[in-house]
């Protein structure tokens, strides 16, 4: 990467990214969203309480990549642990999938805004006698 993460006053971090790095990170985030899938959104007229208590899958994903993203909560040494892992998965996996999709979308939108900012700076600099900022000029910030 072009830069190192720098701590921001008040929390969070910033890093300088060039256009290629932005493109790679965006592509990986989109691939993650595609891998996780669209999710089971409740119908518009569905009971919100029923949607809150909707159960997810009880078996681990068959795809090895998804299995790493959504591992069993407990070992599978005994039938009791397998049953506990199944229950845990049933009640948490839908929320975990939704959260991972939301987080990846936040990354995509942040990277898109960096690309738009960089394009705006390039357009302004081409119409003025100043030099353009060059690679690594886009900054991504995050707080948490």
């Amino acid at each position: 990467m072009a830069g190192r993460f720098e701590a921001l006053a008040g929390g969070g971090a910033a890093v300088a990214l060039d256009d290629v790095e932005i493109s790679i990170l965006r592509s990986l985030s989109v691939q993650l969203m595609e891998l996780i899938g669209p999710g089971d959104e409740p119908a518009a007229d569905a009971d919100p309480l029923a949607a809150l208590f909707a159960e997810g899958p009880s078996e681990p994903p068959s795809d090895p990549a998804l299995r790493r993203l959504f591992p069993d909560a407990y070992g599978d040494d005994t039938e009791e642990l397998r049953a506990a892992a199944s229950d845990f998965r049933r009640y948490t996996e839908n929320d975990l999938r939704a959260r991972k999709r939301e987080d990846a979308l936040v990354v995509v939108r942040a990277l898109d805004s960096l690309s738009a900012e960089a394009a705006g700076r390039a357009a302004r600099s081409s119409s003025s006698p100043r030099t353009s900022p060059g690679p690594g000029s886009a900054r991504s910030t995050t707080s948490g």
Side-chain angles (χ1 to χ4, degrees):
M1 296 198 120
R4 295 184 181 159
F5 283 94
E6 301 170 9
L8 296 175
V15 64
L17 301 171
D18 63 29
D19 289 339
V20 173
E21 293 166 329
I22 290 172
S23 175
I24 291 169
L25 288 173
R26 187 184 191 290
S27 175
L28 290 172
S29 296
V30 169
Q31 289 175 38
L32 176 64
M33 289 188 295
E34 291 171 352
L35 179 65
I36 292 170
D40 298 327
E41 296 298 320
D45 60 344
D47 179 11
L49 187 59
L52 181 64
F53 291 104
E55 293 183 9
S58 59
E59 294 296 318
S62 58
D63 184 320
L66 283 174
R67 192 173 288 196
R68 286 188 296 275
L69 287 171
F70 305 105
D72 281 334
Y74 308 103
D76 60 357
D77 299 336
T78 66
E79 186 61 35
E80 184 179 347
L81 288 176
R82 282 190 292 277
S86 176
D87 285 342
F88 185 82
R89 179 177 302 284
R90 183 174 43 237
Y91 296 118
T92 62
E93 187 168 320
N94 286 344
D95 289 339
L96 289 172
R97 284 178 180 262
R99 179 61 192 256
K100 287 180 187 297
R101 275 190 302 275
E102 291 167 7
D103 290 345
L105 187 58
V106 166
V107 170
V108 168
R109 288 180 175 157
L111 294 171
D112 287 348
S113 71
L114 287 176
S115 295
E117 287 174 18
R121 280 194 305 272
R124 283 191 302 275
S125 66
S126 67
S127 64
S128 70
R130 288 181 264 162
T131 60
S132 69
S137 60
R139 289 183 66 79
S140 173
T141 59
T142 181
S143 61

